[in-house]
Amino acid sequence: MMKHKLKAIDFFSGAGGLTYGLRMAGIQVMAGIDNDKICKTTYEKNNPGSIFLERDITQYSPEELTKDLKLKKRDDALLLAGCAPCQYWSIIQTTKEKSKKTKDLILDFQKYVEYLLPGFVLVENVPGISSKKGSPMASFIKAIEKLGYVFMDHHVVDMSEYGIPQKRRRFTLLASRVAEVSLPKANGKKKTVKDILGEKNGFPRVPAGTKDLSKKIHTTAGLSEKNLKRLKMTPPDGGDRTKWQSKKNYALACFSSDSNKFSDTYGRMWWNRPSPTITTKFYSISNGRFAHPEEDRGISLREGASLQTFPKSYEFVSTNTADIAKMIGNAVPPDFAKILGERIVESLNNGTKSYD
């Protein structure tokens, strides 16, 4: 059977995690689209041949995209991938004010599907977008079904079941109007923090506050004297703040009424478990269980990137720690993107329909 070269456009591409993974699967990613200009250099440096379009898709029209990339409508070998930053629908209890303006980005992505009618559609998002009341996902699914995307599979997956070394639950959807497609089954290849971090994996011991100006960015956040003492009192390999929460001068006032509430905060990762979800604040121990399993520091930028399955050669271009952490935390893990990409390529090449 003749094989067909799949092309893709990565919407809300960020620094290129999805693009990198799709490229590993043999897909030609024509462009990444994102309105965050901080990501442009990182995206293009690591994904040569894929261009970064700095665009706001609420203002950028499908007609303009079609002209800019010389696309054709109803291209059966075209994939549109949309991983919109919809934190408004996150199940994490945080203020939603800042994320209100992005809560319906999936419907802006829908306009491109309606106009271009690609062969394949991929969506990845926070779990809550498929379950919370008022979410636009049900509307999106209904709309593309009417467009002829009769082959569809979607559910919330835990990426740790696919060999990604972190507990990362995401709503994932694959749809096609040209060939049967389904989400890949969990491969059972569990990876843990021990498989990724530590000296044997190329991460030398470093103290808190290390500034690594090399491309490796084994940079760690500084800690106040009190926080360093708190971490020294936190047992290795999964210890948490309950060991010092009741101690005078060390207790956190915000948790004084319930010492077990949010016990992951200031906690250490376990060696023999996947890490918690790598968020945009993973470099700070006050934002979750982001302390190193045994060293008295938070995990470094590169350690976070490695838990996200970025190769050590992936260069994050910025001098700002928060910007790099945001690029890493917002990304689709490249190894998971590769698994999805391979599934789509397989679907295209095994389809019964003829492709022009």
PDB file of all heavy atoms in Angstrom, residues 263-284:
ATOM      1  N   SER A 263      -0.858  18.645  51.169  1.00  0.00           N
ATOM      2  CA  SER A 263       0.426  18.184  51.711  1.00  0.00           C
ATOM      3  C   SER A 263       1.510  18.080  50.646  1.00  0.00           C
ATOM      4  O   SER A 263       2.691  17.983  50.980  1.00  0.00           O
ATOM      5  CB  SER A 263       0.255  16.832  52.414  1.00  0.00           C
ATOM      6  OG  SER A 263      -0.208  15.843  51.513  1.00  0.00           O
ATOM      7  N   ASP A 264       1.132  18.101  49.372  1.00  0.00           N
ATOM      8  CA  ASP A 264       2.145  18.077  48.317  1.00  0.00           C
ATOM      9  C   ASP A 264       2.986  19.355  48.311  1.00  0.00           C
ATOM     10  O   ASP A 264       4.143  19.341  47.887  1.00  0.00           O
ATOM     11  CB  ASP A 264       1.489  17.910  46.937  1.00  0.00           C
ATOM     12  CG  ASP A 264       1.159  16.458  46.635  1.00  0.00           C
ATOM     13  OD1 ASP A 264       1.575  15.584  47.419  1.00  0.00           O
ATOM     14  OD2 ASP A 264       0.497  16.201  45.624  1.00  0.00           O
ATOM     15  N   THR A 265       2.419  20.453  48.763  1.00  0.00           N
ATOM     16  CA  THR A 265       3.149  21.711  48.789  1.00  0.00           C
ATOM     17  C   THR A 265       4.383  21.576  49.667  1.00  0.00           C
ATOM     18  O   THR A 265       4.295  21.128  50.814  1.00  0.00           O
ATOM     19  CB  THR A 265       2.250  22.840  49.327  1.00  0.00           C
ATOM     20  OG1 THR A 265       1.059  22.887  48.548  1.00  0.00           O
ATOM     21  CG2 THR A 265       2.948  24.183  49.236  1.00  0.00           C
ATOM     22  N   TYR A 266       5.540  21.935  49.141  1.00  0.00           N
ATOM     23  CA  TYR A 266       6.840  21.797  49.795  1.00  0.00           C
ATOM     24  C   TYR A 266       7.278  20.334  49.896  1.00  0.00           C
ATOM     25  O   TYR A 266       8.252  20.014  50.565  1.00  0.00           O
ATOM     26  CB  TYR A 266       6.846  22.422  51.197  1.00  0.00           C
ATOM     27  CG  TYR A 266       6.877  23.931  51.204  1.00  0.00           C
ATOM     28  CD1 TYR A 266       5.706  24.669  51.015  1.00  0.00           C
ATOM     29  CD2 TYR A 266       8.068  24.617  51.392  1.00  0.00           C
ATOM     30  CE1 TYR A 266       5.726  26.057  51.022  1.00  0.00           C
ATOM     31  CE2 TYR A 266       8.107  26.006  51.406  1.00  0.00           C
ATOM     32  CZ  TYR A 266       6.925  26.723  51.211  1.00  0.00           C
ATOM     33  OH  TYR A 266       6.947  28.085  51.211  1.00  0.00           O
ATOM     34  N   GLY A 267       6.575  19.427  49.227  1.00  0.00           N
ATOM     35  CA  GLY A 267       6.917  18.010  49.308  1.00  0.00           C
ATOM     36  C   GLY A 267       8.001  17.601  48.317  1.00  0.00           C
ATOM     37  O   GLY A 267       8.267  18.295  47.334  1.00  0.00           O
ATOM     38  N   ARG A 268       8.612  16.464  48.593  1.00  0.00           N
ATOM     39  CA  ARG A 268       9.633  15.900  47.707  1.00  0.00           C
ATOM     40  C   ARG A 268       9.003  14.876  46.756  1.00  0.00           C
ATOM     41  O   ARG A 268       8.047  14.180  47.116  1.00  0.00           O
ATOM     42  CB  ARG A 268      10.715  15.189  48.521  1.00  0.00           C
ATOM     43  CG  ARG A 268      11.588  16.098  49.377  1.00  0.00           C
ATOM     44  CD  ARG A 268      12.680  15.252  50.034  1.00  0.00           C
ATOM     45  NE  ARG A 268      13.515  16.032  50.960  1.00  0.00           N
ATOM     46  CZ  ARG A 268      14.588  16.722  50.591  1.00  0.00           C
ATOM     47  NH1 ARG A 268      14.952  16.744  49.308  1.00  0.00           N
ATOM     48  NH2 ARG A 268      15.298  17.378  51.487  1.00  0.00           N
ATOM     49  N   MET A 269       9.555  14.763  45.574  1.00  0.00           N
ATOM     50  CA  MET A 269       9.146  13.707  44.652  1.00  0.00           C
ATOM     51  C   MET A 269       9.622  12.359  45.198  1.00  0.00           C
ATOM     52  O   MET A 269      10.570  12.286  45.977  1.00  0.00           O
ATOM     53  CB  MET A 269       9.752  13.935  43.270  1.00  0.00           C
ATOM     54  CG  MET A 269       9.212  15.154  42.548  1.00  0.00           C
ATOM     55  SD  MET A 269       9.973  15.313  40.897  1.00  0.00           S
ATOM     56  CE  MET A 269       9.121  16.801  40.318  1.00  0.00           C
ATOM     57  N   TRP A 270       8.932  11.290  44.763  1.00  0.00           N
ATOM     58  CA  TRP A 270       9.364   9.932  45.069  1.00  0.00           C
ATOM     59  C   TRP A 270      10.284   9.435  43.959  1.00  0.00           C
ATOM     60  O   TRP A 270      10.025   9.687  42.772  1.00  0.00           O
ATOM     61  CB  TRP A 270       8.167   8.998  45.164  1.00  0.00           C
ATOM     62  CG  TRP A 270       7.324   9.134  46.385  1.00  0.00           C
ATOM     63  CD1 TRP A 270       7.501   8.516  47.589  1.00  0.00           C
ATOM     64  CD2 TRP A 270       6.114   9.902  46.515  1.00  0.00           C
ATOM     65  NE1 TRP A 270       6.492   8.859  48.464  1.00  0.00           N
ATOM     66  CE2 TRP A 270       5.624   9.706  47.832  1.00  0.00           C
ATOM     67  CE3 TRP A 270       5.397  10.734  45.644  1.00  0.00           C
ATOM     68  CZ2 TRP A 270       4.464  10.311  48.298  1.00  0.00           C
ATOM     69  CZ3 TRP A 270       4.247  11.347  46.094  1.00  0.00           C
ATOM     70  CH2 TRP A 270       3.794  11.130  47.422  1.00  0.00           C
ATOM     71  N   TRP A 271      11.300   8.700  44.301  1.00  0.00           N
ATOM     72  CA  TRP A 271      12.178   8.121  43.284  1.00  0.00           C
ATOM     73  C   TRP A 271      11.445   7.093  42.423  1.00  0.00           C
ATOM     74  O   TRP A 271      11.621   7.064  41.207  1.00  0.00           O
ATOM     75  CB  TRP A 271      13.378   7.434  43.948  1.00  0.00           C
ATOM     76  CG  TRP A 271      14.516   8.312  44.341  1.00  0.00           C
ATOM     77  CD1 TRP A 271      15.055   8.439  45.597  1.00  0.00           C
ATOM     78  CD2 TRP A 271      15.300   9.177  43.504  1.00  0.00           C
ATOM     79  NE1 TRP A 271      16.112   9.325  45.592  1.00  0.00           N
ATOM     80  CE2 TRP A 271      16.290   9.787  44.312  1.00  0.00           C
ATOM     81  CE3 TRP A 271      15.254   9.493  42.140  1.00  0.00           C
ATOM     82  CZ2 TRP A 271      17.228  10.692  43.807  1.00  0.00           C
ATOM     83  CZ3 TRP A 271      16.192  10.395  41.637  1.00  0.00           C
ATOM     84  CH2 TRP A 271      17.158  10.984  42.453  1.00  0.00           C
ATOM     85  N   ASN A 272      10.654   6.242  43.053  1.00  0.00           N
ATOM     86  CA  ASN A 272      10.085   5.097  42.340  1.00  0.00           C
ATOM     87  C   ASN A 272       8.642   5.305  41.889  1.00  0.00           C
ATOM     88  O   ASN A 272       7.893   4.340  41.713  1.00  0.00           O
ATOM     89  CB  ASN A 272      10.197   3.838  43.213  1.00  0.00           C
ATOM     90  CG  ASN A 272      11.646   3.415  43.387  1.00  0.00           C
ATOM     91  OD1 ASN A 272      12.403   3.358  42.415  1.00  0.00           O
ATOM     92  ND2 ASN A 272      12.038   3.122  44.620  1.00  0.00           N
ATOM     93  N   ARG A 273       8.266   6.558  41.722  1.00  0.00           N
ATOM     94  CA  ARG A 273       6.954   6.880  41.150  1.00  0.00           C
ATOM     95  C   ARG A 273       7.159   7.906  40.030  1.00  0.00           C
ATOM     96  O   ARG A 273       8.163   8.624  40.019  1.00  0.00           O
ATOM     97  CB  ARG A 273       6.029   7.492  42.196  1.00  0.00           C
ATOM     98  CG  ARG A 273       5.700   6.608  43.375  1.00  0.00           C
ATOM     99  CD  ARG A 273       4.664   7.296  44.260  1.00  0.00           C
ATOM    100  NE  ARG A 273       4.485   6.641  45.550  1.00  0.00           N
ATOM    101  CZ  ARG A 273       3.633   7.043  46.478  1.00  0.00           C
ATOM    102  NH1 ARG A 273       2.867   8.121  46.244  1.00  0.00           N
ATOM    103  NH2 ARG A 273       3.530   6.408  47.625  1.00  0.00           N
ATOM    104  N   PRO A 274       6.194   8.012  39.123  1.00  0.00           N
ATOM    105  CA  PRO A 274       6.246   9.127  38.178  1.00  0.00           C
ATOM    106  C   PRO A 274       6.162  10.439  38.953  1.00  0.00           C
ATOM    107  O   PRO A 274       5.627  10.479  40.070  1.00  0.00           O
ATOM    108  CB  PRO A 274       4.998   8.918  37.307  1.00  0.00           C
ATOM    109  CG  PRO A 274       4.656   7.471  37.464  1.00  0.00           C
ATOM    110  CD  PRO A 274       5.048   7.119  38.870  1.00  0.00           C
ATOM    111  N   SER A 275       6.665  11.491  38.389  1.00  0.00           N
ATOM    112  CA  SER A 275       6.578  12.795  39.051  1.00  0.00           C
ATOM    113  C   SER A 275       5.139  13.301  39.004  1.00  0.00           C
ATOM    114  O   SER A 275       4.326  12.797  38.227  1.00  0.00           O
ATOM    115  CB  SER A 275       7.494  13.795  38.352  1.00  0.00           C
ATOM    116  OG  SER A 275       6.879  14.312  37.178  1.00  0.00           O
ATOM    117  N   PRO A 276       4.819  14.299  39.812  1.00  0.00           N
ATOM    118  CA  PRO A 276       3.522  14.962  39.634  1.00  0.00           C
ATOM    119  C   PRO A 276       3.527  15.720  38.309  1.00  0.00           C
ATOM    120  O   PRO A 276       4.569  15.838  37.653  1.00  0.00           O
ATOM    121  CB  PRO A 276       3.453  15.914  40.822  1.00  0.00           C
ATOM    122  CG  PRO A 276       4.875  16.179  41.176  1.00  0.00           C
ATOM    123  CD  PRO A 276       5.611  14.897  40.898  1.00  0.00           C
ATOM    124  N   THR A 277       2.389  16.232  37.922  1.00  0.00           N
ATOM    125  CA  THR A 277       2.292  17.008  36.686  1.00  0.00           C
ATOM    126  C   THR A 277       3.260  18.180  36.716  1.00  0.00           C
ATOM    127  O   THR A 277       3.285  18.955  37.672  1.00  0.00           O
ATOM    128  CB  THR A 277       0.861  17.541  36.504  1.00  0.00           C
ATOM    129  OG1 THR A 277      -0.049  16.441  36.464  1.00  0.00           O
ATOM    130  CG2 THR A 277       0.743  18.335  35.203  1.00  0.00           C
ATOM    131  N   ILE A 278       4.067  18.293  35.671  1.00  0.00           N
ATOM    132  CA  ILE A 278       4.988  19.415  35.555  1.00  0.00           C
ATOM    133  C   ILE A 278       4.188  20.627  35.084  1.00  0.00           C
ATOM    134  O   ILE A 278       3.706  20.664  33.947  1.00  0.00           O
ATOM    135  CB  ILE A 278       6.132  19.090  34.572  1.00  0.00           C
ATOM    136  CG1 ILE A 278       6.940  17.886  35.079  1.00  0.00           C
ATOM    137  CG2 ILE A 278       7.040  20.303  34.386  1.00  0.00           C
ATOM    138  CD1 ILE A 278       7.579  18.079  36.437  1.00  0.00           C
ATOM    139  N   THR A 279       4.034  21.596  35.956  1.00  0.00           N
ATOM    140  CA  THR A 279       3.262  22.800  35.655  1.00  0.00           C
ATOM    141  C   THR A 279       4.209  23.934  35.281  1.00  0.00           C
ATOM    142  O   THR A 279       5.430  23.771  35.252  1.00  0.00           O
ATOM    143  CB  THR A 279       2.437  23.231  36.884  1.00  0.00           C
ATOM    144  OG1 THR A 279       3.338  23.692  37.912  1.00  0.00           O
ATOM    145  CG2 THR A 279       1.603  22.065  37.423  1.00  0.00           C
ATOM    146  N   THR A 280       3.662  25.098  35.020  1.00  0.00           N
ATOM    147  CA  THR A 280       4.497  26.249  34.680  1.00  0.00           C
ATOM    148  C   THR A 280       5.247  26.797  35.889  1.00  0.00           C
ATOM    149  O   THR A 280       6.136  27.629  35.755  1.00  0.00           O
ATOM    150  CB  THR A 280       3.650  27.381  34.073  1.00  0.00           C
ATOM    151  OG1 THR A 280       2.655  27.789  35.028  1.00  0.00           O
ATOM    152  CG2 THR A 280       2.966  26.918  32.792  1.00  0.00           C
ATOM    153  N   LYS A 281       4.921  26.304  37.090  1.00  0.00           N
ATOM    154  CA  LYS A 281       5.573  26.764  38.324  1.00  0.00           C
ATOM    155  C   LYS A 281       6.398  25.648  38.967  1.00  0.00           C
ATOM    156  O   LYS A 281       6.682  25.687  40.166  1.00  0.00           O
ATOM    157  CB  LYS A 281       4.523  27.253  39.321  1.00  0.00           C
ATOM    158  CG  LYS A 281       3.641  28.385  38.815  1.00  0.00           C
ATOM    159  CD  LYS A 281       4.407  29.689  38.708  1.00  0.00           C
ATOM    160  CE  LYS A 281       3.474  30.846  38.369  1.00  0.00           C
ATOM    161  NZ  LYS A 281       4.196  32.120  38.236  1.00  0.00           N
ATOM    162  N   PHE A 282       6.797  24.656  38.176  1.00  0.00           N
ATOM    163  CA  PHE A 282       7.445  23.482  38.747  1.00  0.00           C
ATOM    164  C   PHE A 282       8.786  23.784  39.419  1.00  0.00           C
ATOM    165  O   PHE A 282       9.286  22.970  40.202  1.00  0.00           O
ATOM    166  CB  PHE A 282       7.655  22.411  37.664  1.00  0.00           C
ATOM    167  CG  PHE A 282       8.744  22.759  36.667  1.00  0.00           C
ATOM    168  CD1 PHE A 282      10.076  22.464  36.928  1.00  0.00           C
ATOM    169  CD2 PHE A 282       8.424  23.371  35.470  1.00  0.00           C
ATOM    170  CE1 PHE A 282      11.073  22.785  36.014  1.00  0.00           C
ATOM    171  CE2 PHE A 282       9.415  23.702  34.554  1.00  0.00           C
ATOM    172  CZ  PHE A 282      10.747  23.409  34.829  1.00  0.00           C
ATOM    173  N   TYR A 283       9.379  24.922  39.117  1.00  0.00           N
ATOM    174  CA  TYR A 283      10.691  25.244  39.686  1.00  0.00           C
ATOM    175  C   TYR A 283      10.588  25.763  41.125  1.00  0.00           C
ATOM    176  O   TYR A 283      11.608  25.992  41.788  1.00  0.00           O
ATOM    177  CB  TYR A 283      11.410  26.279  38.816  1.00  0.00           C
ATOM    178  CG  TYR A 283      10.696  27.620  38.727  1.00  0.00           C
ATOM    179  CD1 TYR A 283      11.041  28.671  39.564  1.00  0.00           C
ATOM    180  CD2 TYR A 283       9.664  27.808  37.817  1.00  0.00           C
ATOM    181  CE1 TYR A 283      10.373  29.885  39.497  1.00  0.00           C
ATOM    182  CE2 TYR A 283       8.989  29.019  37.740  1.00  0.00           C
ATOM    183  CZ  TYR A 283       9.350  30.049  38.587  1.00  0.00           C
ATOM    184  OH  TYR A 283       8.670  31.247  38.519  1.00  0.00           O
ATOM    185  N   SER A 284       9.372  25.931  41.636  1.00  0.00           N
ATOM    186  CA  SER A 284       9.164  26.476  42.981  1.00  0.00           C
ATOM    187  C   SER A 284       8.579  25.414  43.899  1.00  0.00           C
ATOM    188  O   SER A 284       7.509  24.861  43.609  1.00  0.00           O
ATOM    189  CB  SER A 284       8.223  27.687  42.922  1.00  0.00           C
ATOM    190  OG  SER A 284       7.825  28.082  44.218  1.00  0.00           O
TER     191      SER A 284
END
